[in-house]
Amino acid sequence: MRLEGAAFTWDLRGPTACETLGPKDLRALRERLGADPLATDADPRPAWVRTHATRRSIGAVLLDQSVFAGIGNVYRAELLFLLGIHPDTPSNTLERATFDKLWELSKALLARGVKENRIVTRDGPKGVRLGRRDALHVYKRTHCLVCGARVAKLLVAARTLYACETCQPRLVDMPTG
């Protein structure tokens, strides 16, 4: 879907759901959403409470829009890689300091995505704009750019998640998936 206006153009590609909402339905939708790292007034405390209260993997929780609004599959893979967190890590084992780093990195990467109009999690040489594929660390890669290990393709929350299990070691024994 494309919306074009005098000052802005907005493209929506691959949404899970796409529908027109009235004010009442929009309010109800917003009430179901979790904290949005892009919102200037976002309070991460409810996301921390919900994250720390569940044994679900952090890889699954990051896609739960009732906990974190706006984090999709690409950001999920990149955030966990940058923080060295294995996607299968039970959320209730994360320390508050780790959650705070996750929140702050989410804010920074999502804001960068808005500014650059694309998902970018890597920096290239000064003044060089990285191509789409080179702008990411692990998403849809076969080998880790940091250590050279094979990037694993895991199924977490019914979506393929890319992770370097060398740079993101499992710290807790937990079944995959």
Side-chain angles (χ1 to χ4, degrees):
M1 177 173 80
R2 173 170 267 215
L3 299 174
E4 293 185 26
F8 298 100
T9 299
W10 182 74
D11 288 317
L12 175 65
R13 292 182 277 165
T16 303
C18 184
E19 58 188 296
T20 303
L21 301 176
K24 181 180 172 184
D25 292 329
L26 183 58
R27 249 187 328 277
L29 173 64
R30 285 190 173 140
E31 289 171 4
R32 291 193 316 259
L33 292 175
D36 180 351
L38 279 176
T40 56
D41 62 346
D43 181 1
R45 286 176 296 186
W48 160 248
V49 169
R50 294 197 61 197
T51 299
H52 202 254
T54 183
R55 293 189 58 178
R56 288 188 307 154
S57 71
I58 189 60
V61 169
L62 282 173
L63 283 190
D64 183 342
Q65 297 294 302
S66 70
V67 179
F68 290 93
I71 296 180
N73 202 34
V74 178
Y75 280 117
R76 169 179 74 161
E78 295 292 305
L79 286 164
L80 293 175
F81 174 79
L82 288 167
L83 294 172
I85 301 170
H86 193 281
D88 286 336
T89 301
S91 294
N92 65 349
T93 65
L94 289 181
E95 295 181 6
R96 179 61 195 252
T98 302
F99 173 86
D100 290 342
K101 288 178 187 174
L102 176 63
W103 179 260
E104 291 304 316
L105 186 56
S106 298
K107 286 174 53 172
L109 291 182
L110 289 167
R112 182 177 184 180
V114 169
K115 181 180 177 186
E116 296 195 29
N117 197 29
R118 65 193 188 118
I119 300 173
V120 179
T121 64
R122 289 186 63 225
D123 292 322
K126 187 166 178 75
V128 175
R129 179 180 162 108
L130 294 175
R132 183 176 178 180
R133 178 167 158 62
D134 293 327
L136 304 173
H137 290 87
V138 291
Y139 186 76
K140 289 196 174 180
R141 289 198 175 277
T142 58
H143 290 84
C144 178
L145 296 176
V146 172
C147 72
R150 189 146 187 80
V151 170
K153 289 171 68 173
L154 309 170
L155 189 63
V156 180
R159 302 283 305 273
T160 300
L161 193 152
Y162 298 84
C164 174
E165 294 185 299
T166 300
C167 294
Q168 298 168 256
R170 283 181 202 272
L171 301 177
V172 177
D173 289 332
M174 184 174 172
T176 60

